[in-house]
Amino acid sequence: MSRYLEDVRRYDKRADEAVVKRLERYLGGALRTPDSRFVAATDRRELDTIRDKFLKRKLGMKDRRDKLDSIVAQVAQEMKAQRMKRRLTFYYLCAKRANKLNLFT
């Protein structure tokens, strides 16, 4: 089991390994450097980037901005206890909340 799958399963016990692997492939380069491997949940610009480039562009969500911001905020709150929030886990949880995990199957 990969370290990413193990981390995702802290939040979703039934996480599909194939979905996590595809998400890992999607994030590719962002997971290689220590600085970009984690999400700074207190940085508004980073959260806006997740909204615009992941939720809107990758997942194709056309919802209102406040709904997309709400998804990102809910995931940040869910992961609040974890100081170092892994990017892959954060994106997985965003996709799960948006009911878009099927895009990675």
Side-chain angles (χ1 to χ4, degrees):
M1 178 164 49
S2 78
R3 63 179 170 208
Y4 299 114
L5 180 60
E6 186 177 325
D7 192 55
V8 168
R9 286 195 172 157
R10 291 171 67 188
Y11 299 95
D12 181 3
K13 301 287 185 220
R14 298 174 19 175
D16 184 347
E17 186 173 5
V19 170
V20 173
K21 282 184 180 182
R22 285 186 185 95
L23 192 53
E24 182 178 356
R25 199 172 319 132
Y26 165 73
L27 289 170
L31 301 177
R32 289 192 188 105
T33 62
D35 188 44
S36 64
R37 193 175 298 144
F38 300 98
V39 170
T42 57
D43 183 349
R44 185 73 243 165
R45 283 185 18 219
E46 180 157 14
L47 299 179
D48 289 347
T49 299
I50 293 170
R51 179 196 64 220
D52 295 337
K53 294 192 177 165
F54 183 66
L55 293 176
K56 283 184 177 180
R57 191 178 300 165
K58 176 63 179 170
L59 301 185
M61 297 184 71
K62 306 287 186 217
D63 295 305
R64 291 187 6 219
R65 185 178 189 169
D66 59 332
K67 181 176 180 184
L68 300 178
D69 283 339
S70 174
I71 290 171
V72 174
Q74 289 170 13
V75 171
Q77 182 63 34
E78 183 177 358
M79 294 182 76
K80 185 177 183 180
Q82 191 172 352
R83 184 176 163 271
M84 303 293 282
K85 295 160 185 56
R86 289 187 188 269
R87 184 167 303 279
L88 189 140
T89 303
F90 200 96
Y91 279 47
Y92 176 93
L93 294 172
C94 283
K96 182 179 178 188
R97 285 196 178 273
N99 294 316
K100 298 286 187 173
L101 285 176
N102 62 325
L103 296 175
F104 297 97
T105 56

